[in-house]
Amino acid sequence: MRYLVRDRIFAIGDDYWIEEEGGRPAFLVDGKALRLRDTLEIKDPDGRVLITLRQKVFALRETMTVERDDLPLATVRRKRLSLLRNHFRVTLADGTELDVSGRILDREFGVTYEGEPLARISRRWLTVRDTYAVDVVREDADAALLIALAVCVIRMTERERDGD
């Protein structure tokens, strides 16, 4: 399934829709303003919170937690940095590790599990300006989680670039 995300510089309090390729709203990203730490909620079209992203306050390197129903689902940390690619390690609550790597700022990266692609994020084939696609490759994959991971690593990379 392909989801389309309008690309913008994220700010606390920003809300925006992620749509299915046909234009139907699929997820709302709700930036929570007036919080001590950076918080985003991924909601379904009916307004139910599916995923919450929170910046960890007291971490040695920038870390974001991913929660579902107020329970930890995953932790996202930068794995290593090279000149051309960004790498993030996602550790799920059950210990499973996912790898997020590619050119994050260019919106050309992937999410993999043991080398198997789960999602591809790209703007390469889109004609709509300032939009990127999140292609969820596996039908049994958790689309909300994969979209949340894409939003999370883009946000972390932009914050690092901007020196926040």
Side-chain angles (χ1 to χ4, degrees):
M1 172 68 82
R2 178 176 284 177
Y3 299 92
L4 302 178
V5 183
R6 298 256 186 265
D7 204 5
R8 61 166 78 185
I9 300 299
F10 299 112
I12 294 175
D14 277 356
D15 298 344
Y16 58 94
W17 282 98
I18 296 173
E19 301 172 345
E20 292 179 359
E21 193 168 23
R24 193 174 85 188
F27 302 100
L28 174 68
V29 179
D30 184 358
K32 295 298 182 185
L34 303 173
R35 301 274 175 109
L36 286 176
R37 58 187 177 172
D38 199 2
T39 302
L40 297 169
E41 292 178 341
I42 309 292
K43 298 179 177 181
D44 70 11
D46 294 326
R48 288 185 297 267
V49 176
L50 303 173
I51 303 274
T52 302
L53 301 170
R54 297 183 201 278
Q55 177 184 10
K56 275 195 162 183
V57 178
F58 299 111
L60 291 176
R61 50 188 176 156
E62 186 172 11
T63 302
M64 289 192 84
T65 59
V66 180
E67 300 170 2
R68 178 174 278 145
D69 299 325
D70 294 323
L71 297 173
L73 180 60
T75 303
V76 181
R77 290 184 182 90
R78 178 172 292 287
K79 185 175 174 185
R80 61 184 177 268
L81 178 66
S82 70
L83 294 175
L84 300 175
R85 297 172 67 87
N86 297 112
H87 296 266
F88 289 84
R89 166 85 28 94
V90 178
T91 306
L92 300 179
D94 68 2
T96 302
E97 292 187 343
L98 306 179
D99 186 58
V100 180
S101 63
R103 295 185 325 272
I104 308 286
L105 291 174
D106 293 335
R107 309 306 189 253
E108 298 293 336
F109 61 97
V111 180
T112 60
Y113 169 66
E114 294 185 350
E116 180 183 344
L118 299 176
R120 284 186 223 104
I121 293 77
S122 178
R123 64 168 46 142
R124 185 174 307 156
W125 295 288
L126 298 176
T127 58
V128 179
R129 184 180 166 159
D130 296 331
T131 300
Y132 63 92
V134 177
D135 282 315
V136 178
V137 177
R138 290 182 44 166
E139 287 187 28
D140 63 341
D142 184 341
L145 173 61
L146 293 171
I147 288 169
L149 294 177
V151 168
C152 182
V153 298
I154 289 170
R155 188 170 186 99
M156 290 172 73
T157 302
E158 286 180 345
R159 287 174 56 89
E160 182 177 279
R161 176 196 66 196
D162 296 339
D164 289 345

